[in-house]
Amino acid sequence: MNTAYLSLERHFARLSSLNDAIGILSWDKEVMMPSGAAERRAENMAMLEGLRHEILTAPVMAELLAEAGVDASGDAAPEETALWRSANLAEMRRLHKRATALPQDLVEAFSHAASRCEIAWRSARENSDFPTLLPYLSEVLRLTRAVAAATGDALGLSPYDALLDGFDPGTRQSDIDPVFTRLRAELPELIGSVLERQAALPAATPLQGPFSVARQEALGRVLMRQLGFDMTRGRLDVSTHPFCGGATYDVRLTTRYDEADFIPAMMGVLHETGHALYDMGLPSAWVSQPVGQAGGMTLHESQSLLMEMQFCRSGAFARWLAPHARTAFDLPDTATGWGAENLHRLLTHVQPGFIRVDADEVTYPAHILVRYELEKALIAGDLALADLPGAFNDGIHALLGLRVPDDRRGCLQDIHWPEGLFGYFPCYALGAMAAAQFRVAACEQNPDILPAVGRGDFAPLLGWLRQNVHGRASSATMPQILRDATGKPLGADAYLAHIRHRYLDRAPDA
Amino acid sequence: MNTAYLSLERHFARLSSLNDAIGILSWDKEVMMPSGAAERRAENMAMLEGLRHEILTAPVMAELLAEAGVDASGDAAPEETALWRSANLAEMRRLHKRATALPQDLVEAFSHAASRCEIAWRSARENSDFPTLLPYLSEVLRLTRAVAAATGDALGLSPYDALLDGFDPGTRQSDIDPVFTRLRAELPELIGSVLERQAALPAATPLQGPFSVARQEALGRVLMRQLGFDMTRGRLDVSTHPFCGGATYDVRLTTRYDEADFIPAMMGVLHETGHALYDMGLPSAWVSQPVGQAGGMTLHESQSLLMEMQFCRSGAFARWLAPHARTAFDLPDTATGWGAENLHRLLTHVQPGFIRVDADEVTYPAHILVRYELEKALIAGDLALADLPGAFNDGIHALLGLRVPDDRRGCLQDIHWPEGLFGYFPCYALGAMAAAQFRVAACEQNPDILPAVGRGDFAPLLGWLRQNVHGRASSATMPQILRDATGKPLGADAYLAHIRHRYLDRAPDA
């Protein structure tokens, strides 16, 4: 380790503070900001993004990166620390390379265009009016393609791989295609079998509300604590679209409430808590450094889906949850439908629908497959934006057999493309694959994990995750972490087996 | 106007965005942040302050300021615009001079020390334990004196004047001393007369609670709108210490609620709304530039006190407020004590006490006089911090005749010194003087202002303020703005006349 490396640590610690500031401002934008401040906030965020880019691409950074070394010879640090420093330097170089690939004005233009497009999207979606969004989205796509081309040139990647790599370092289209090809081949039939099996069973009994927001929120907090969320280092709030954000030691998740049905908000909290536990479990010694950050979107989504889908919709957990949820709403044990089996039925109900974020885990990947093909074509220039609504609707029909009635429930439903996130969608489905693999490995390596979850005790699971995923941060790539933890590369096997086990075999703990 | 000037406008627009980010993070720290994030947030804020300082002191800034000119000859801009540009350039030079006076490491050390001291102060105050605060406060004072000396050297000011100038550009100790000397001479006797007159009247009837927080908050929002607050560009929340903060087009005020008594929270909202209306009334064309910012602490406090003390505690407003407040709490018109006269009596009750922020407008300046003398002595090195508690208590006894029972109610009560604000306190009392002068001038120039307030209509008052104070931003100094608006320099006449008129003459509208 030399002084150049130490200087870099100081520069990146400043960037980490800037990231924290951006994190809190992003949270605030969704949760607190008054509507009249939207335009000004967009300018402020673009300025901070620009500042981040400026710091990362300052001439001193290139000089330090050229000089820096973390050769452990003659260094008093233990081998473990030397390895982390080495991984840290590699992460610094990767971030620097991505940043210097883009001129400052492109970064700011992209940020401005994305902010404006996001604002336009809100009303376009409400009015199901794709044409008014088109000019804004065209500008975002134009700039995204410029970003992808420039980044790809610098990294020696195709434009789409360059985008993917920004969300999920090391993941390539060539890793995704075989997994998604298999899903595309098996999913329609599997969905059909699941629906058939479900139809053969007596229908689940809906739970009778109303469920007051105050009690739903209290239940959410109980569950957050149960899973291991540290309430002194985070918050739970309300926003139109649930998310997990915030900053270092300040992890903030949101949900939205429906007084007629508490399940969506509760599952939203459990999902975001999965994300939050990952952020809270990153190693504190590296919290301000690139190597100390979470290892990309696929791993992040695997953590939320592991909690929400794999464990918290399991029969084992439903048995603990049923009486606790009932008590949270102050209902007597004679209340209809509050048995564990019925609750499990409600938690695992499958229903093809138009809206991705409302989809169950069986039909969810279909939504991603559609978006993945479309965004690859958009980036490649093979699909004109004006043709997007039709192509989107065709894709949904092919995989889910549904006719999309309007763009609000079609290509306008997601915020991601309008906010400039291309190459982001596939990570959702990859996360589902990874979550299934993690569950299998965790339960094999520690057979007490599932029984403990069945007692509402997530400590054994969290311990395994801390050691095998969270604590590794970005000290290795996602494929490496996944292989070390599960013994296998990322694939669809565990996911498909899980779906069959839970929805066709209907194993009671699954 | 030349290209250097235009470049400067762009640089300062970036700084304005950075100020906005700091503003939202500061608000968040008091209103939203989980406790476990405090230390990290302090680092983040110090980093952003450091970044602000770095941008302001970058070599390019000095070069541009040397080149910049706004000579209107050959410029197509109207004279008015040319004047604002010229004032803007002067403000830029002033800010640059203040910033370059301080080395970067002193700026960051000061920010860190102040954050740590503020955290230590919270528990020290709770435990009335000055000794545990002493080392933190010593460090803050040491760094403040270094800042004051360096800034004073650069600006040709005494250290204390250099601090004052940071909060209230252009105000000097020599302006304050005669005003405060007069208050020191007249206030003790005046307080005595007011208490005597008050004792001779029948006691006011307390209003019976409980007053639910939800209804108090709803009343607060009604009053904010009534005064002219734009709810699409701001918020009302709760914090331990009420304040007005936020960012451009995003003005956020806070209060705190007591279910036994709604008056403190309500008056807190009215006070902070006065601040907010100033920020909301700054000219939109200059919102990102130094000249477009509010003109210092004395003017800012004059705006909050003009609303809270001068108009909203007047007999005229009490007549409008009484039935509206009663209705807000869903009480019948037979409820005891809800007549306008009794409410006015409650709003203007005078009672010497230990706590500055709870003080009435008659005894308030006494609290400032004590702090002003002490902080001058601390900065000059004439008072050791260890002797502060005793000196503070002696000061309160001399002016208010009270024996301070513990430091919690003595020198530990305020956050300002622990957070590094020296030279800030006098602006509170100067603001009270300015508010009284503004009221006299406004009501003379537009005799409908007070009758309109008596009908709950603040539009005429707000119109006068927009034109004479808010809209001028920093295009002129505070003394100039005050003189232009009121025809007089800042003094104690209007304030003392107001106190006599309201509390001794007991004029019904006063």
Side-chain angles (χ1 to χ4, degrees), chain B residues 152-201:
Chain B
D153 277 352
L155 303 180
L157 294 174
S158 76
Y160 189 72
D161 274 351
L163 294 175
L164 268 180
D165 190 77
F167 302 112
D168 215 18
T171 296
R172 304 285 172 259
Q173 190 182 322
S174 58
D175 302 319
I176 300 175
D177 280 340
V179 180
F180 282 11
T181 300
R182 182 159 172 217
L183 289 175
R184 186 174 296 277
E186 297 195 20
L187 212 51
E189 201 189 311
L190 182 57
I191 294 170
S193 309
V194 166
L195 290 175
E196 208 174 294
R197 179 84 179 83
Q198 182 174 267
L201 296 167

Coordinates of all heavy atoms in Angstrom, one line a residue, chain B residues 152-201:
Chain B
G152 N -11.5 38.6 9.9 CA -11.3 40.0 10.3 C -10.0 40.5 9.5 O -10.1 41.7 9.0
D153 N -9.0 39.8 9.5 CA -7.8 40.2 8.8 C -8.1 40.5 7.3 O -7.6 41.6 6.8 CB -6.7 39.2 8.9 CG -5.9 39.2 10.2 OD1 -6.1 40.2 11.0 OD2 -5.1 38.3 10.5
A154 N -8.8 39.6 6.7 CA -9.1 39.7 5.3 C -10.0 40.9 5.0 O -9.9 41.6 4.0 CB -9.6 38.5 4.7
L155 N -10.9 41.2 5.9 CA -11.9 42.2 5.6 C -11.6 43.5 6.3 O -12.4 44.5 6.1 CB -13.3 41.7 6.1 CG -13.9 40.4 5.5 CD1 -15.2 40.1 6.1 CD2 -14.0 40.5 4.0
G156 N -10.5 43.6 7.1 CA -10.2 44.8 7.8 C -11.2 45.1 8.9 O -11.6 46.2 9.1
L157 N -11.7 44.0 9.6 CA -12.6 44.2 10.7 C -12.1 43.6 11.9 O -11.2 42.7 11.9 CB -13.9 43.4 10.3 CG -14.7 43.9 9.1 CD1 -15.9 43.0 8.8 CD2 -15.3 45.3 9.4
S158 N -12.6 44.0 13.1 CA -12.3 43.3 14.3 C -12.8 41.9 14.3 O -13.8 41.6 13.5 CB -13.0 44.1 15.5 OG -14.3 43.7 15.5
P159 N -12.3 41.0 15.1 CA -12.8 39.6 15.0 C -14.3 39.5 15.3 O -15.0 38.8 14.5 CB -12.0 38.9 16.2 CG -10.7 39.7 16.3 CD -11.1 41.1 16.0
Y160 N -14.8 40.2 16.2 CA -16.3 40.1 16.5 C -17.1 40.7 15.3 O -18.1 40.1 14.9 CB -16.6 40.8 17.8 CG -18.1 40.5 18.2 CD1 -18.4 39.2 18.7 CD2 -19.1 41.4 18.1 CE1 -19.8 38.9 19.0 CE2 -20.4 41.1 18.5 CZ -20.7 39.9 18.9 OH -22.0 39.6 19.2
D161 N -16.6 41.8 14.8 CA -17.3 42.4 13.6 C -17.3 41.4 12.4 O -18.2 41.3 11.6 CB -16.7 43.7 13.2 CG -17.3 44.9 14.0 OD1 -18.3 44.6 14.7 OD2 -16.8 46.0 13.9
A162 N -16.2 40.7 12.3 CA -16.1 39.7 11.2 C -17.1 38.6 11.4 O -17.7 38.2 10.4 CB -14.7 39.1 11.2
L163 N -17.4 38.2 12.6 CA -18.4 37.2 12.8 C -19.8 37.8 12.5 O -20.6 37.1 11.8 CB -18.4 36.7 14.3 CG -17.1 35.9 14.6 CD1 -17.1 35.5 16.1 CD2 -17.0 34.6 13.8
L164 N -20.1 38.9 13.1 CA -21.4 39.6 12.9 C -21.7 39.7 11.4 O -22.8 39.4 10.9 CB -21.3 41.0 13.4 CG -21.7 41.3 14.8 CD1 -21.5 42.8 15.1 CD2 -23.2 41.0 15.1
D165 N -20.7 40.2 10.7 CA -20.8 40.4 9.2 C -21.2 39.1 8.5 O -21.8 39.2 7.4 CB -19.5 41.0 8.7 CG -19.6 41.5 7.3 OD1 -20.2 42.6 7.1 OD2 -19.2 40.8 6.3
G166 N -20.9 38.0 9.0 CA -21.2 36.7 8.4 C -22.7 36.4 8.4 O -23.3 35.8 7.6
F167 N -23.4 36.9 9.5 CA -24.8 36.7 9.6 C -25.6 37.9 9.1 O -26.7 37.8 8.7 CB -25.2 36.5 11.1 CG -24.4 35.3 11.7 CD1 -23.5 35.5 12.6 CD2 -24.7 34.0 11.2 CE1 -22.8 34.4 13.2 CE2 -24.0 32.9 11.7 CZ -23.1 33.1 12.7
D168 N -25.0 39.1 9.2 CA -25.7 40.3 8.9 C -24.8 41.3 8.2 O -24.2 42.2 8.9 CB -26.2 40.9 10.2 CG -27.5 41.6 10.1 OD1 -28.2 41.3 9.1 OD2 -27.9 42.4 11.0
P169 N -24.6 41.1 6.9 CA -23.6 41.9 6.2 C -23.8 43.4 6.5 O -24.9 43.9 6.3 CB -23.9 41.6 4.7 CG -24.6 40.2 4.7 CD -25.4 40.2 6.0
G170 N -22.7 44.0 6.9 CA -22.7 45.5 7.1 C -22.9 45.9 8.5 O -22.7 47.0 8.8
T171 N -23.5 45.0 9.3 CA -23.7 45.4 10.7 C -22.5 45.3 11.5 O -21.7 44.3 11.4 CB -24.8 44.5 11.3 OG1 -26.1 44.7 10.6 CG2 -25.1 44.8 12.8
R172 N -22.2 46.3 12.3 CA -21.0 46.4 13.1 C -21.4 46.5 14.6 O -22.4 47.1 14.9 CB -20.1 47.6 12.7 CG -19.7 47.6 11.3 CD -18.6 46.6 10.9 NE -18.4 46.6 9.5 CZ -18.9 45.6 8.7 NH1 -19.6 44.6 9.2 NH2 -18.7 45.6 7.4
Q173 N -20.4 46.1 15.5 CA -20.6 46.3 16.9 C -20.9 47.8 17.2 O -21.8 48.1 18.1 CB -19.3 45.9 17.6 CG -19.5 45.8 19.1 CD -18.1 45.5 19.8 OE1 -17.4 44.6 19.3 NE2 -17.9 46.1 20.9
S174 N -20.4 48.7 16.5 CA -20.6 50.1 16.7 C -22.0 50.6 16.4 O -22.5 51.6 16.8 CB -19.6 51.0 15.9 OG -19.7 50.7 14.6
D175 N -22.7 49.8 15.5 CA -24.1 50.0 15.3 C -25.0 49.5 16.4 O -26.1 50.0 16.7 CB -24.6 49.3 14.0 CG -23.8 49.7 12.7 OD1 -23.5 50.9 12.6 OD2 -23.5 48.8 11.9
I176 N -24.5 48.4 16.9 CA -25.4 47.7 17.9 C -25.2 48.3 19.3 O -26.2 48.5 20.0 CB -24.9 46.2 18.0 CG1 -25.1 45.5 16.7 CG2 -25.7 45.5 19.1 CD1 -24.6 44.1 16.7
D177 N -24.0 48.7 19.7 CA -23.8 49.2 21.1 C -24.7 50.3 21.5 O -25.3 50.2 22.6 CB -22.3 49.6 21.2 CG -21.4 48.4 21.4 OD1 -22.0 47.3 21.8 OD2 -20.2 48.5 21.2
P178 N -25.0 51.3 20.7 CA -25.9 52.4 21.2 C -27.3 51.9 21.4 O -28.0 52.3 22.3 CB -25.8 53.5 20.1 CG -25.0 52.9 18.9 CD -24.3 51.7 19.4
V179 N -27.8 51.0 20.5 CA -29.1 50.5 20.6 C -29.2 49.7 21.9 O -30.2 49.8 22.7 CB -29.5 49.6 19.4 CG1 -30.9 49.1 19.5 CG2 -29.3 50.4 18.1
F180 N -28.3 48.8 22.1 CA -28.3 47.9 23.2 C -28.1 48.7 24.5 O -28.6 48.3 25.6 CB -27.3 46.8 23.1 CG -27.8 45.7 22.1 CD1 -28.9 45.8 21.3 CD2 -27.2 44.4 22.1 CE1 -29.4 44.8 20.5 CE2 -27.6 43.4 21.2 CZ -28.7 43.6 20.4
T181 N -27.3 49.7 24.5 CA -27.0 50.5 25.7 C -28.4 51.2 26.1 O -28.7 51.2 27.3 CB -26.0 51.6 25.4 OG1 -24.8 50.9 25.0 CG2 -25.7 52.5 26.6
R182 N -29.1 51.6 25.1 CA -30.4 52.3 25.5 C -31.4 51.2 26.1 O -32.0 51.5 27.1 CB -31.0 52.9 24.2 CG -32.3 53.6 24.5 CD -32.7 54.6 23.5 NE -34.0 55.1 23.8 CZ -34.9 55.4 22.9 NH1 -34.6 55.4 21.7 NH2 -36.1 55.8 23.3
L183 N -31.4 50.1 25.5 CA -32.3 49.0 26.0 C -31.9 48.6 27.4 O -32.7 48.5 28.3 CB -32.2 47.7 25.1 CG -32.9 47.9 23.7 CD1 -32.6 46.6 22.9 CD2 -34.4 48.1 23.8
R184 N -30.6 48.5 27.6 CA -30.1 48.1 28.9 C -30.5 49.2 30.0 O -30.8 48.8 31.1 CB -28.5 48.0 28.9 CG -27.9 47.5 30.1 CD -26.4 47.3 29.9 NE -26.1 46.3 28.9 CZ -26.1 45.0 29.2 NH1 -26.3 44.6 30.4 NH2 -25.9 44.1 28.2
A185 N -30.5 50.4 29.5 CA -30.9 51.5 30.4 C -32.4 51.5 30.7 O -32.8 51.7 31.8 CB -30.4 52.8 29.9
E186 N -33.2 51.3 29.7 CA -34.6 51.5 29.9 C -35.4 50.2 30.2 O -36.5 50.3 30.8 CB -35.2 52.1 28.6 CG -34.6 53.5 28.3 CD -35.4 54.3 27.3 OE1 -36.6 54.0 27.0 OE2 -34.8 55.2 26.7
L187 N -34.9 49.1 29.8 CA -35.7 47.8 29.8 C -36.1 47.4 31.2 O -37.3 47.1 31.5 CB -35.0 46.7 29.1 CG -35.9 45.7 28.4 CD1 -36.9 46.3 27.5 CD2 -35.0 44.7 27.6
P188 N -35.2 47.4 32.2 CA -35.6 46.9 33.5 C -36.8 47.7 34.1 O -37.7 47.1 34.6 CB -34.3 47.1 34.4 CG -33.2 46.9 33.4 CD -33.7 47.6 32.2
E189 N -36.7 49.0 34.0 CA -37.8 49.8 34.5 C -39.1 49.6 33.7 O -40.2 49.5 34.3 CB -37.4 51.3 34.5 CG -38.2 52.2 35.5 CD -37.9 53.7 35.2 OE1 -36.7 54.0 35.2 OE2 -38.9 54.4 35.1
L190 N -38.9 49.5 32.4 CA -40.1 49.3 31.6 C -40.8 47.9 31.9 O -42.0 47.9 32.0 CB -39.7 49.3 30.1 CG -40.8 49.1 29.0 CD1 -41.9 50.2 29.2 CD2 -40.2 49.2 27.6
I191 N -40.0 46.9 32.1 CA -40.5 45.6 32.5 C -41.3 45.7 33.8 O -42.4 45.2 33.9 CB -39.4 44.5 32.6 CG1 -38.8 44.3 31.2 CG2 -40.0 43.2 33.2 CD1 -37.5 43.4 31.2
G192 N -40.7 46.5 34.7 CA -41.4 46.7 36.0 C -42.8 47.3 35.8 O -43.8 46.9 36.4
S193 N -42.8 48.4 35.0 CA -44.1 49.1 34.8 C -45.1 48.2 34.1 O -46.3 48.2 34.5 CB -43.9 50.3 33.9 OG -42.8 51.1 34.4
V194 N -44.6 47.4 33.1 CA -45.6 46.5 32.4 C -46.1 45.5 33.4 O -47.3 45.2 33.4 CB -44.8 45.8 31.2 CG1 -45.7 44.7 30.7 CG2 -44.5 46.8 30.1
L195 N -45.3 45.0 34.2 CA -45.8 43.9 35.2 C -46.8 44.5 36.2 O -47.8 43.9 36.6 CB -44.6 43.3 35.9 CG -43.7 42.4 35.1 CD1 -42.5 41.9 35.9 CD2 -44.5 41.2 34.5
E196 N -46.5 45.7 36.6 CA -47.3 46.5 37.5 C -48.7 46.7 36.9 O -49.8 46.4 37.5 CB -46.7 47.8 37.9 CG -47.0 48.4 39.2 CD -46.2 49.6 39.5 OE1 -44.9 49.5 39.6 OE2 -46.8 50.7 39.5
R197 N -48.7 47.2 35.7 CA -49.9 47.5 35.0 C -50.7 46.2 34.8 O -52.0 46.1 34.9 CB -49.6 48.1 33.6 CG -50.8 48.4 32.7 CD -51.3 49.8 33.0 NE -52.5 50.2 32.2 CZ -53.7 49.8 32.3 NH1 -54.0 49.0 33.3 NH2 -54.7 50.1 31.5
Q198 N -50.0 45.1 34.4 CA -50.7 43.8 34.2 C -51.3 43.3 35.5 O -52.4 42.8 35.4 CB -49.6 42.8 33.7 CG -50.1 41.5 33.3 CD -49.0 40.6 32.7 OE1 -48.9 40.5 31.5 NE2 -48.2 39.9 33.5
A199 N -50.6 43.5 36.6 CA -51.1 43.0 37.9 C -52.4 43.7 38.3 O -53.2 43.2 39.1 CB -50.0 43.1 38.9
A200 N -52.5 44.9 37.8 CA -53.7 45.7 38.2 C -54.9 45.3 37.5 O -56.0 45.7 37.9 CB -53.4 47.2 38.0
L201 N -54.8 44.5 36.4 CA -55.9 44.1 35.7 C -56.4 42.7 36.1 O -55.6 42.0 36.7 CB -55.5 44.0 34.2 CG -55.2 45.3 33.5 CD1 -54.5 45.0 32.1 CD2 -56.4 46.1 33.3

